[in-house]
Structures are given as C-alpha cells and as structure tokens.
Amino acid sequence: MVHYEVDYAITHALAYTDGVLLPDATIVVEQGIVMYVGKLEQEMVQHLKQYDAKGSLVGPGLVDMHIHGCGGFDSTRGNLQENLEGMALFLAGKGITSFQLAVVMDLELLDQIKQAMDRSAFLSSYLLGVYVEGPFIAPEKKGGIPSSGIRTFDRGYLEKILSIKCGKKPLVTSMTIAPELQGSEELSSMLEQNNIVVAYGHSDCPLDALHPRDKNHLTHLFNAMSGIDHKHPGLAAMPFVRNFSHATYELVCDEVHVHPSVIDLTINSLGTERLCLISDAMSLAGMGAGEGLYLGKQMYSNGKACYYRDSDILIGSAMLISDSAKNLFHKNLLDKQSFFQVASENPLRVLSQTDRGCIKPGYKADLVMLSSDMEVQEVFKVV
C-alpha cells in the first residue's frame, strides 16, 4: 500500500540509515521530512499516526534512473501526462518512489514532458528528469533505437535540447553519447556545464581511446557497447581498470540483458559502491508475458525482457528493480545494506540529488518497508 501522509511515525523498524541497520528504531516524519531516527521516545510520537513495522526493514524509496515504461504506460503514445502519472503510481506500488524517464531523442516529446511536469506537482515529485539515449551515438550499436533518433554531433541541435527547461534547469538530466564520435569532447563539456550526466554507451569505442574525466558513467554496462576482448578491450572494460576506478555504471539484472554469471563476476569484482541497478524497462514491465507497441512497432514480453516482434531484437526489460534487487539478494550478491546502495543511494548520487535517498533528519520521507525476504510491504511517498 502507498501512503501519502506527511505527519506520522514508524515504530519498531529495522531502519537502514547512514549505511547501517538500526534495530527497533522509530522514524518520525513531519511535513514530509524525516525529523528523527532512533530509539522510541513516546512524547515525540504520541500526537502522530503510528505504523508498527514489527521488525520489518525500512529504507529509502527505490530509484530507477533508467526506465522507459511499465504497467502499460510509457511516453510514446496517448495522453502523456496521464501515462507518466500512471507510470509513477505503478512504480510506487513496487517501492520505486523516484525515476528518471528514458526516451529516444525527440524535441517535441521533450517539450511535452516539460509541460506535463509544469502542470503536475504529483508527477514532478516522482520524475527526476529525462535520460536521452542519443542522438549522438554510434549507428552500429543502436540496439533498439531507431535510425531516426541518431545523428552526428550538432552544437545547434544540442542547444535546442538544453533550452527545454523545468525551472532554471534543463529537463534532460542524463544523455547517452558515443565517446568515439567527432565532437564528443565539446558535447561532453557542454553537458557537464549544464550538470547533465554524460553517460557513455551505444558505442563501439575501444578502451584505449578513452580518457578519464572527473565523472565517468556507463549506460547499461555490457549492452550496446564494445565488449571485453583480451586483446582489444572495449568500452565495457572501463570500470574494471584502475584509470577508471571512479567510474559509475548501470547494470540490468533481469538475467537476459546480462548473463547471470557475468552479473556475478561484475558484482564480485567491483563490489557495489559504483553500481546503479536499472530496469531499462518497457511499458509491458511488471505485467507478465504479453504484447504491445513501442515507437509504432509491435513488441512482445516473455515476462523478463521485451523484443521487437519482427526481428526479435532485445529492446528493454520486463522486470522492475524491486524484483531484480530482490533476486540478487536471494543469490547473496546483495545484503540488506547494499540493496539500498545500488537501488537508491548510488543512482541519486550520480544524479546529484541530495534531498532524498537517506533516512536522516532533513531528508524527504520517501520510504519503503520490506519483509525479511525483501518483498515490498508498505510505501511512504511525499508529493
């Protein structure tokens, strides 16, 4: 159940706070802000509605920084505001209280998303911004992106993208680029100047051609990029080498996008400090097997991943991060602390979001309560 109250207390929780688990904790929330985390003090909660966690784990709401759609909703057709609000509601029911919407480049669509956010405070409380895959990517690594969404670097076109703003900030908060393309240095600098995450991906770049930046991030590691070859390492090798030991990366863990053994290898080799668990989910995500449309083309889901019907090209996942994180927990690849690290804290750090993602005084009270086997029990969302 999703709760939208702003004044309440959660008692007897196993609270995840500041990287540790605090047993039998009380969390006090007033006006949607965490005011206190610690041992129960009756006078602090007697005037508040109380939820007894009965020892359940309570942590920050989950964050999917790379998702195209879910629950039958996406940005490609119908009433955009209704679709995105429906998507937010569906995600909240799964414990995901914030998301970054992934889209193929379309200036008109970006303007429509901006208008929807301007009209809907509810949507803006969930939607952190837009993640554009392209248009400055390598055609040979386009994956499910249509050719119409790809172009060579054009400063004027980028300026048009940057001009679409919510408030004073660009609507676009992350952009996938192929670093080997001409103009990528200027492109990266312009994005960084506007506090937009530069995400390398949809690229055939060799590792030797890369140079460390203050921040390096990878779009869905291993997918739609040059791989790890022992003589000619590609982009996928980047987070494994010392020069890029600061690089953050996304990983789709539906066991289709990346083989389970490679997921195991990656987490055991790199740990979880730089991992951002993403879904890369499509509109059919969370609905089991079925059929649908994406960018006007027929697609189908087998319950784990989505494919174009005419070509069987993999285009996205059908699993949400609440399920993939739970699966990683059951395989002992995550513990209770790293569960929240990869599915909440790390994505927010990459996106420079500092108002949520932690159960500490002063933070927005987007919270999730989980059972001992990491099933979502209750969700608390501030709108």
Side-chain angles (χ1 to χ4, degrees):
M1 183 176 180
V2 182
H3 305 274
Y4 292 102
E5 291 144 301
V6 295
D7 298 296
Y8 60 90
I10 301 173
T11 60
H12 307 299
L14 177 61
Y16 174 73
T17 175
D18 248 359
V20 300
L21 297 173
L22 184 63
D24 198 25
T26 294
I27 302 165
V28 176
V29 175
E30 294 183 359
Q31 296 301 303
I33 302 297
V34 176
M35 302 301 292
Y36 173 80
V37 185
K39 295 301 180 184
L40 176 63
E41 295 185 22
Q42 198 62 45
E43 65 274 12
M44 295 181 67
V45 302
Q46 59 189 8
H47 64 293
L48 296 171
K49 182 174 182 177
Q50 296 179 36
Y51 295 90
D52 188 348
K54 298 179 181 178
S56 291
L57 175 64
V58 178
L62 308 186
V63 179
D64 193 340
M65 68 177 292
H66 189 144
I67 181 169
H68 296 267
C70 62
F73 303 101
D74 67 13
S75 64
T76 65
R77 62 191 187 282
N79 183 303
L80 183 67
Q81 182 175 330
E82 289 181 3
N83 275 356
L84 295 182
E85 288 177 342
M87 187 173 163
L89 280 169
F90 189 85
L91 288 171
K94 307 295 184 181
I96 300 161
T97 57
S98 300
F99 68 100
Q100 186 178 227
L101 180 69
V103 302
V104 172
M105 184 59 228
D106 182 327
L107 284 173
E108 184 179 350
L109 173 61
L110 292 183
D111 190 59
Q112 290 173 357
I113 296 169
K114 170 208 159 25
Q115 292 179 41
M117 291 185 71
D118 286 345
R119 289 191 299 263
S120 175
F122 175 85
L123 176 60
S124 296
S125 72
Y126 283 90
L127 183 54
L128 299 174
V130 175
Y131 193 149
V132 180
E133 291 191 79
F136 312 117
I137 58 173
E140 61 271 25
K141 291 292 185 180
K142 65 181 182 178
I145 296 175
S147 298
S148 60
I150 302 172
R151 60 167 62 202
T152 56
F153 175 61
D154 178 336
R155 183 186 178 96
Y157 191 74
L158 177 60
E159 288 175 343
K160 289 181 181 179
I161 297 171
L162 298 177
S163 71
I164 300 173
K165 297 184 177 183
C166 279
K168 297 181 179 180
K169 298 179 180 179
L171 173 71
V172 172
T173 41
S174 299
M175 180 180 285
T176 302
I177 72 167
E180 72 271 25
L181 299 187
Q182 187 172 2
S184 68
E185 188 63 34
E186 181 182 2
L187 167 59
S188 297
S189 296
M190 289 180 68
L191 293 174
E192 289 171 346
Q193 287 166 13
N194 284 275
N195 298 311
I196 296 171
V197 175
V198 179
Y200 291 166
H202 289 281
S203 160
D204 205 27
C205 188
L207 181 66
D208 292 346
L210 293 171
H211 302 286
R213 305 182 72 85
D214 289 342
K215 292 184 178 180
N216 281 111
H217 184 73
L218 283 177
T219 299
H220 43 54
L221 178 63
F222 301 117
N223 298 114
M225 65 177 61
S226 46
I228 300 179
D229 180 277
H230 69 292
K231 290 186 180 293
H232 305 286
L235 185 57
M238 191 174 87
F240 293 89
V241 299
R242 280 180 295 173
N243 282 349
F244 296 94
S245 60
H246 64 294
T248 52
Y249 62 94
E250 304 161 16
L251 199 62
V252 185
C253 291
D254 57 13
E255 299 189 344
V256 176
H257 279 74
V258 181
H259 190 280
S261 294
V262 179
I263 295 173
D264 190 306
L265 171 68
T266 302
I267 294 176
N268 273 301
S269 299
L270 301 180
T272 57
E273 291 79 11
R274 297 181 285 145
L275 166 59
C276 299
L277 186 65
I278 65 164
S279 68
D280 199 16
M282 314 302 288
S283 62
L284 296 175
M287 302 175 69
E291 303 267 345
L293 286 173
Y294 180 63
L295 299 175
K297 295 183 65 174
Q298 290 287 333
M299 70 169 175
Y300 70 93
S301 162
N302 61 10
K304 275 196 166 186
C306 297
Y307 306 80
Y308 281 133
R309 170 59 70 190
D310 62 354
S311 62
D312 282 333
I313 289 176
L314 176 66
I315 56 172
S317 183
M319 286 182 65
L320 299 175
I321 60 169
S322 46
D323 291 319
S324 56
K326 178 180 66 177
N327 291 347
L328 294 174
F329 176 82
H330 287 303
K331 291 188 173 187
N332 295 317
L333 288 170
L334 296 178
D335 58 19
K336 290 176 179 177
Q337 291 97 319
S338 57
F339 180 100
F340 290 109
Q341 185 178 44
V342 305
S344 186
E345 292 176 335
N346 292 350
L348 290 171
R349 176 165 52 86
V350 170
L351 295 173
S352 300
Q353 293 281 337
T354 58
D355 67 336
R356 67 195 79 186
C358 189
I359 305 182
K360 290 172 62 177
Y363 281 75
K364 188 176 178 181
D366 285 355
L367 310 174
V368 62
M369 184 185 298
L370 302 169
S371 67
S372 59
D373 61 356
M374 308 308 273
E375 291 283 353
V376 175
Q377 294 178 315
E378 307 285 347
V379 180
F380 301 85
K381 173 64 186 171
V382 181
V383 296

